Amino acid sequence: MKKLRTAEEAIKKIKTGDILLVGGFGLSGSPLTLIDALTEHDARELTVVSNNLGEEGRGLGRLLVSQQLKKAIGSYFTTNRDAVKAWAANDLEIELIPQGTLAESLRAGGAGIAAYFTRTGVGTELVEGKEMREFDGEPYVLEQAIKGEVSLVKALKADSLGNLYYHKTAMNFNPEVATAGDLVIAEVDEIVETGDIAPEDIGTPHIYVDYVVLNDRYIKEGGRYIEQNVGYR
Amino acid sequence: MKKLRTAEEAIKKIKTGDILLVGGFGLSGSPLTLIDALTEHDARELTVVSNNLGEEGRGLGRLLVSQQLKKAIGSYFTTNRDAVKAWAANDLEIELIPQGTLAESLRAGGAGIAAYFTRTGVGTELVEGKEMREFDGEPYVLEQAIKGEVSLVKALKADSLGNLYYHKTAMNFNPEVATAGDLVIAEVDEIVETGDIAPEDIGTPHIYVDYVVLNDRYIKEGGRYIEQNVGYR
Amino acid sequence: MNKTSVTDKVKIAQRVADELQDGDVVNLGVGIPTLIPDYLGDKSLFLQSENGLLGIGPTPPDDQVDMDLISASKKPITMSPGASLFSSSNSFAMIRGGHVDVAILGALQVDETGEIANWAVPGKDILGVGGAMDLVAGAKKIILSMTHQSKDKKPKIIKKLTFPRSGVRKADMVVTEQAVFKFENETMILTEIAEDFSIDQLKESTEANFVVSPELKTDY
Amino acid sequence: MNKTSVTDKVKIAQRVADELQDGDVVNLGVGIPTLIPDYLGDKSLFLQSENGLLGIGPTPPDDQVDMDLISASKKPITMSPGASLFSSSNSFAMIRGGHVDVAILGALQVDETGEIANWAVPGKDILGVGGAMDLVAGAKKIILSMTHQSKDKKPKIIKKLTFPRSGVRKADMVVTEQAVFKFENETMILTEIAEDFSIDQLKESTEANFVVSPELKTDY
């Protein structure tokens, strides 16, 4: 398979100062293997755009432990106490965006839409300073598209071309994230033959995907992704 | 099935002067039964938003024959000579929109987005008078959402709740159209049990659909929808 | 009456459940709203989860948990028959586009016109908003299900918000353990009051001005 | 040489096919571009159809036609292995978002800076635009495949457009039966000229100014 890379090879493309777009809702649909490989890579001062920052020491939370983050852009960071602490200590910038605006801005970034007027957030602190306009007598706020240098996504399966199949609500932000990065790295649990995923079930067409990395660090047990003993590495 | 109606019952909800949003790309994925029922209904002065106006005397083209149209908004009307003639005779207003802008504006209409900045059409006659703005040094034009009183869509199947399954490229504009109308009428070839369409294959979730009408006027022969002998009516 | 007991939460959940119609498309916020499915009787709702599902089914037994199928509160769920899956942008298109009938939300404060504060507390770190503002902006009807006062007995139903608001869109209804209020033309109307609870008592626990409905029910 | 024969069209299609790389994501416009798949040899492209498909396969035999599976030119098609289906808004998100490598378009006119006119003729009814402007705005590379002159022998490669333009985005390359031009910094460069055809002859059939590449190929 042409696009297949090890996590290390793929992650090397990330440079200090990059904006990373990362799929996942908490740890669900989070590219855990890619994130782990990133903690072993020397890129620093990263901006991560993702709904959350995982949990303490898990998922994107590991990038706080490894001190590779400059800024987090997303909708909900309160549940990761490391993020709250890092922010309080001025070690982490945080930009809070309503969850639907985050999803729509990522979609816009991948869809050639520069900005759009939404109702969400009108009248709140989160849109202070942003342009407002009325349409049909209702107030809207102008929100900008989000793009990044590298996208990290997680799917259940890829086919040999790189088409992705997402699993249930682990899909979440992944399809949008996959459209909005200059380089898109997809972590999957399984690679299947081209044609094995039905045309209507392809969540991300292969043309969005640059590299596919096989998850070889986490196995699913009791419905949860459990880190394997990595001693063999 | 709660949402099941005859074409006549469902179409009665359309009033003179309404804006109708209609799925389909030419005759592909076009709600032919609903359109036929509309020609037998007394609503006049309609505005139709659809990529095309069918063909001469077929699909949406029948609304030209029945003289129920005031205006057509879409991307390509040249192939229907009746439309060209009606326009030349001042019997039909036409508003031309690039195809991608049409699709995006319908999506915006259903998604609570009032307007958005796109690159498409910048510098052309089609966006004259519209607001322009630069983002990252590139020019964009502000396009408005499209909504309507009634949406007519065509899917292959509905389940008993009204979830829709679209067939191949007959999907086209139908999912967007289904989100942007106040009342949404779906024509289907078949009604299946709830649960028979897999959660990832539902193209339009049932909450968007108000009425489901069974196609009983057209049968598929040789890959084409052929009008049945309707003498038994 | 002022103590927030499990019983109070159940009472609130039950009352909100009564408000829902068979077939409603509902988004349930965290906290008290998550109790509501237990009190629906034979009404069937379509529960929308903003992380990409329409049709939340019953909580799975432990041995059938799959963390690839969770609610927006990150709890394991199942899918009900006819459920559909979609991405986050499509989920919020559904919410923001006005296709969800009812959002049942918790609130930190609500003012006497129905204005809502449900995401941030001044002086505390503001590091989370989630989908609160999208739901406030987009749902057709907003029901706040909340305890009548804060844990330190401060009024939450007040004249003017002191916490940051969640949008310009206002609540349609407030259900607490003490009372039920509806809003009409930015006026707060008391429609139900708890049994053995007087309007004077309610005025003490409620900073906001309210009018009493002529059809006030006193057996809530 | 000026007559547009089937041979000319095939020649154009063959030359454009040579330009495509194995694995390119390509959108083919109507007319000459639709001939290209026949001349790809063992190169495999991913053909995008703006009505909602990535992965157009070979034309089906008559008895396997399904008009629910058509190209943007409304011709019956098949799906190649790994094809994916999506709605119109997702298809144009793909196009406008810059995810299509090459758009091969017909053109009514192109000017000497690469500006394109491919949708409307002044004085005629302007009742169709289709996806032309989206493709012009969004594709990473734009190749115009067109006859060198109009049917009435008027130049189509001109100094300044007289027909309405299709956007501000310019063409990267023009392939006609007489010549191949590339654009660099808004300058039109002749890179290939038909065998037995002189530059003077080409200047007569081409209103636009062009420079001749030092590596001009004369055996096109």
Side-chain angles (χ1 to χ4, degrees):
Chain A
M1 186 197 176
K2 269 194 204 168
K3 294 179 179 172
L4 190 64
R5 298 288 183 283
T6 66
E8 293 71 21
E9 283 173 311
I11 286 298
K12 264 187 207 154
K13 300 285 176 180
I14 299 174
K15 302 173 305 297
T16 291
D18 274 357
I19 297 175
L20 299 191
L21 315 178
V22 187
F25 187 82
L27 296 173
S28 175
S30 176
L32 301 174
T33 296
L34 295 177
I35 293 164
D36 285 359
L38 178 53
T39 64
E40 297 153 10
H41 175 53
D42 56 8
R44 291 281 177 284
E45 299 284 312
L46 301 171
T47 294
V48 161
V49 180
S50 195
N51 194 52
N52 323 92
L53 278 178
E55 297 177 4
E56 291 90 7
R58 298 179 70 193
L60 284 171
R62 291 196 174 169
L63 298 179
L64 283 168
V65 178
S66 63
Q67 299 186 305
Q68 288 170 280
L69 294 188
K70 187 180 80 176
K71 185 172 181 180
I73 300 175
S75 94
Y76 208 79
F77 300 116
T78 325
T79 40
N80 184 334
R81 279 163 298 179
D82 289 349
V84 179
K85 273 186 232 159
W87 175 79
N90 275 327
D91 289 335
L92 179 71
E93 296 168 46
I94 282 187
E95 183 179 337
L96 212 57
I97 302 181
Q99 196 173 145
T101 301
L102 176 64
E104 188 68 14
S105 290
L106 287 165
R107 178 190 178 277
I113 304 296
Y116 59 92
F117 284 99
T118 173
R119 259 193 290 260
T120 299
V122 168
T124 74
E125 290 182 13
L126 292 192
V127 303
E128 267 172 25
K130 292 184 179 176
E131 181 178 337
M132 308 291 301
R133 193 180 297 191
E134 282 200 2
F135 293 88
D136 287 330
E138 294 274 331
Y140 286 77
V141 57
L142 185 67
E143 294 282 0
Q144 310 277 324
I146 295 177
K147 294 170 117 179
E149 276 83 20
V150 181
S151 292
L152 307 181
V153 304
K154 171 66 168 60
L156 183 64
K157 301 178 199 180
D159 69 16
S160 315
L161 286 178
N163 285 307
L164 303 181
Y165 174 82
Y166 297 108
H167 193 222
K168 297 179 182 170
T169 58
M171 177 192 289
N172 54 64
F173 291 86
N174 282 297
E176 288 84 12
V177 163
T179 65
D182 297 333
L183 183 88
V184 177
I185 310 174
E187 172 181 341
V188 299
D189 292 354
E190 191 187 349
I191 293 170
V192 299
E193 292 297 308
T194 296
D196 282 2
I197 310 173
E200 18 312 75
D201 292 345
I202 291 173
T204 292
H206 63 88
I207 63 172
Y208 289 105
V209 178
D210 296 292
Y211 298 145
V212 172
V213 168
L214 205 52
N215 159 26
D216 59 358
R217 302 196 186 198
Y218 290 81
I219 49 168
K220 211 165 168 188
E221 272 178 15
R224 288 174 173 80
Y225 283 93
I226 309 289
E227 199 167 5
Q228 294 185 69
N229 181 335
V230 291
Y232 69 88
R233 276 164 179 281
Chain B
M1 186 195 176
K2 269 194 204 168
K3 294 179 180 173
L4 190 64
R5 298 287 185 284
T6 65
E8 293 70 22
E9 282 174 313
I11 286 300
K12 264 188 210 156
K13 300 285 176 179
I14 299 174
K15 302 175 304 298
T16 290
D18 274 358
I19 296 175
L20 299 191
L21 316 178
V22 187
F25 186 82
L27 296 173
S28 174
S30 175
L32 301 175
T33 297
L34 295 177
I35 293 164
D36 285 357
L38 178 52
T39 63
E40 299 153 10
H41 175 55
D42 57 7
R44 290 282 178 281
E45 298 286 309
L46 301 171
T47 293
V48 161
V49 181
S50 194
N51 193 54
N52 323 92
L53 278 179
E55 298 177 5
E56 292 90 6
R58 299 178 68 193
L60 285 171
R62 292 196 172 168
L63 298 180
L64 283 169
V65 178
S66 64
Q67 300 186 304
Q68 288 170 282
L69 294 189
K70 186 179 81 176
K71 185 173 181 180
I73 300 175
S75 93
Y76 208 79
F77 300 115
T78 325
T79 42
N80 184 334
R81 280 163 297 179
D82 289 348
V84 178
K85 273 185 234 161
W87 175 79
N90 276 326
D91 288 335
L92 178 71
E93 297 168 45
I94 282 189
E95 184 178 336
L96 212 56
I97 302 181
Q99 194 173 145
T101 300
L102 176 65
E104 188 69 14
S105 290
L106 287 165
R107 179 190 178 277
I113 304 296
Y116 60 92
F117 283 99
T118 174
R119 259 195 288 261
T120 299
V122 168
T124 73
E125 291 180 12
L126 292 192
V127 303
E128 267 170 26
K130 292 186 177 177
E131 180 177 337
M132 309 291 301
R133 192 179 297 191
E134 281 200 4
F135 292 89
D136 287 330
E138 295 274 332
Y140 287 76
V141 56
L142 185 66
E143 293 282 1
Q144 311 276 325
I146 295 176
K147 295 171 115 175
E149 274 84 19
V150 181
S151 292
L152 306 182
V153 304
K154 170 65 168 59
L156 184 65
K157 301 178 200 181
D159 70 16
S160 318
L161 284 177
N163 286 306
L164 302 182
Y165 173 83
Y166 297 107
H167 192 222
K168 299 180 181 170
T169 57
M171 177 191 288
N172 56 65
F173 291 87
N174 282 297
E176 289 82 14
V177 163
T179 65
D182 297 335
L183 181 89
V184 178
I185 310 174
E187 171 181 340
V188 299
D189 292 353
E190 193 188 347
I191 293 169
V192 300
E193 291 297 308
T194 295
D196 281 2
I197 310 173
E200 19 312 73
D201 292 344
I202 292 173
T204 292
H206 63 87
I207 62 171
Y208 289 105
V209 178
D210 296 293
Y211 298 145
V212 172
V213 169
L214 205 52
N215 159 27
D216 58 0
R217 302 196 186 197
Y218 290 82
I219 50 166
K220 211 167 169 187
E221 271 178 14
R224 289 175 173 78
Y225 283 91
I226 310 289
E227 200 168 2
Q228 293 185 71
N229 182 336
V230 292
Y232 69 88
R233 279 165 177 281
Chain C
M1 279 303 296
N2 276 346
K3 203 172 134 236
T4 311
S5 63
V6 172
T7 327
D8 287 342
K9 290 184 182 175
V10 166
K11 182 178 182 180
I12 296 168
Q14 281 176 323
R15 179 60 190 86
V16 175
D18 286 348
E19 199 64 20
L20 301 173
Q21 308 291 319
D22 200 34
D24 273 351
V25 180
V26 179
N27 184 295
L28 299 176
V30 295
I32 297 173
T34 61
L35 303 175
I36 291 170
D38 292 339
Y39 303 102
L40 290 170
D42 53 6
K43 266 188 286 203
S44 119
L45 303 185
F46 301 111
L47 297 176
Q48 204 264 10
S49 192
E50 58 261 39
N51 55 323
L53 175 69
L54 174 70
I56 302 181
T59 302
D62 278 353
D63 63 346
Q64 284 165 43
V65 164
D66 180 352
M67 294 308 282
D68 285 354
L69 183 55
I70 58 173
S71 68
S73 317
K74 303 197 174 94
K75 298 280 188 298
I77 53 174
T78 56
M79 291 191 275
S80 61
S84 48
L85 292 160
F86 32 79
S87 73
S88 294
S89 72
N90 286 330
S91 184
F92 282 96
M94 191 181 269
I95 291 168
R96 204 178 39 228
H99 308 286
V100 169
D101 295 319
V102 189
I104 302 169
L105 303 170
L108 299 162
Q109 293 184 335
V110 55
D111 83 2
E112 60 190 37
T113 70
E115 199 159 89
I116 304 160
N118 77 341
W119 68 286
V121 177
K124 290 208 179 173
D125 310 334
I126 302 186
L127 298 177
V129 59
M133 289 182 183
D134 302 282
L135 285 159
V136 164
K140 281 187 213 157
K141 184 174 181 177
I142 298 171
I143 302 179
L144 302 181
S145 67
M146 54 191 271
T147 58
H148 202 90
Q149 293 177 302
S150 66
K151 278 176 193 157
D152 55 352
K153 298 270 162 62
K154 295 231 172 79
K156 292 165 70 176
I157 304 173
I158 55 183
K159 287 193 166 59
K160 201 169 164 11
L161 299 185
T162 59
F163 292 1
R165 63 178 173 172
S166 303
V168 289
R169 172 67 190 286
K170 304 192 173 188
D172 296 282
M173 186 174 179
V174 176
V175 178
T176 78
E177 75 282 8
Q178 293 180 10
V180 176
F181 299 94
K182 291 186 179 170
F183 293 92
E184 274 172 35
N185 306 317
E186 310 225 329
T187 300
M188 192 168 170
I189 303 165
L190 175 70
T191 58
E192 298 172 44
I193 188 165
E195 235 172 341
D196 307 323
F197 207 66
S198 72
I199 290 180
D200 283 344
Q201 279 175 300
L202 191 66
K203 281 187 176 165
E204 256 172 60
S205 62
T206 311
E207 187 201 290
N209 294 307
F210 56 86
V211 301
V212 179
S213 165
E215 286 102 41
L216 179 69
K217 288 185 191 159
T218 55
D219 58 347
Y220 166 53
Chain D
M1 279 304 295
N2 274 348
K3 203 175 133 229
T4 310
S5 63
V6 172
T7 327
D8 287 343
K9 290 184 183 174
V10 166
K11 184 179 180 179
I12 296 168
Q14 281 176 323
R15 180 60 190 85
V16 175
D18 286 349
E19 199 65 20
L20 301 173
Q21 309 290 319
D22 201 35
D24 273 352
V25 180
V26 179
N27 184 294
L28 299 175
V30 294
I32 297 173
T34 60
L35 303 174
I36 292 171
D38 292 337
Y39 303 102
L40 289 169
D42 53 6
K43 266 187 287 202
S44 117
L45 303 185
F46 300 111
L47 298 177
Q48 204 262 12
S49 193
E50 58 261 40
N51 54 323
L53 174 69
L54 176 70
I56 301 181
T59 302
D62 278 354
D63 62 345
Q64 283 165 45
V65 164
D66 180 352
M67 295 306 285
D68 284 355
L69 183 56
I70 59 172
S71 67
S73 316
K74 304 199 174 94
K75 298 279 188 300
I77 53 173
T78 56
M79 291 191 274
S80 60
S84 47
L85 292 161
F86 32 80
S87 73
S88 294
S89 72
N90 286 329
S91 185
F92 283 95
M94 191 180 268
I95 292 169
R96 206 177 37 227
H99 309 287
V100 169
D101 294 318
V102 189
I104 302 169
L105 302 171
L108 300 164
Q109 292 184 334
V110 55
D111 82 3
E112 59 190 39
T113 70
E115 199 159 86
I116 305 158
N118 78 341
W119 69 285
V121 176
K124 291 207 180 173
D125 308 337
I126 301 185
L127 298 177
V129 61
M133 290 182 182
D134 303 281
L135 286 159
V136 165
K140 282 187 210 155
K141 185 175 180 176
I142 298 171
I143 302 179
L144 302 182
S145 67
M146 55 193 270
T147 58
H148 202 89
Q149 293 177 300
S150 66
K151 280 177 192 156
D152 54 353
K153 297 272 165 60
K154 294 232 174 79
K156 292 165 71 177
I157 305 174
I158 53 182
K159 287 191 166 63
K160 201 167 164 14
L161 299 184
T162 59
F163 292 2
R165 64 177 174 174
S166 303
V168 290
R169 172 66 189 291
K170 304 192 174 188
D172 296 282
M173 186 174 180
V174 176
V175 179
T176 77
E177 75 282 8
Q178 294 180 10
V180 176
F181 300 94
K182 290 187 179 171
F183 293 93
E184 275 173 33
N185 306 318
E186 310 224 329
T187 300
M188 192 168 170
I189 302 165
L190 175 70
T191 60
E192 297 171 48
I193 187 165
E195 237 173 338
D196 308 322
F197 207 67
S198 72
I199 289 179
D200 283 345
Q201 280 176 300
L202 191 67
K203 280 185 177 167
E204 256 171 59
S205 62
T206 310
E207 187 201 292
N209 293 308
F210 56 85
V211 301
V212 179
S213 166
E215 286 103 40
L216 179 68
K217 287 185 193 161
T218 56
D219 59 346
Y220 166 55

